Amino acid sequence: MNNYILAIDIGTTSTKVVAFDYKGKLIRKCSNAYPILNPKPNFKEQNPEEIYSTLMKATQQIIEQCGQPQAISFSSA
């Protein structure tokens, strides 16, 4: 199945990857979480390598199940 759009949301606590057909019907979804780090009081950090890794893992899972998408949409915090 190659007739789908891949939507990727890189959020604060997880990356969500979703495949939709051209009518907006959900085909598949995958979500991988990552922590918000607290290195010291009142500080919040994220590990960019961990975010990238979860993005790639979730994207690969959808593409393995659905084939190559016709388009990709990104959203990021």
Side-chain angles (χ1 to χ4, degrees):
M1 162 188 262
N2 290 351
N3 295 323
Y4 74 95
I5 297 167
L6 191 66
I8 299 171
D9 176 30
I10 303 170
T12 305
T13 59
S14 68
T15 293
K16 294 159 280 300
V17 180
V18 183
F20 292 101
D21 70 12
Y22 292 145
K23 293 183 179 181
K25 180 182 174 188
L26 174 70
I27 299 170
R28 293 257 193 275
K29 65 180 176 179
C30 183
S31 179
N32 291 319
Y34 34 80
I36 296 176
L37 308 173
N38 299 304
K40 56 185 175 179
N42 299 317
F43 279 74
K44 305 291 185 199
E45 293 181 358
Q46 293 178 294
N47 181 339
E49 291 175 5
E50 192 167 11
I51 293 170
Y52 178 76
S53 175
T54 60
L55 163 67
M56 297 308 290
K57 182 179 176 183
T59 302
Q60 182 179 8
Q61 289 173 347
I62 296 291
I63 290 175
E64 285 174 354
Q65 295 172 3
C66 298
Q68 294 295 320
Q70 293 296 308
I72 300 174
S73 170
F74 278 92
S75 171
S76 181

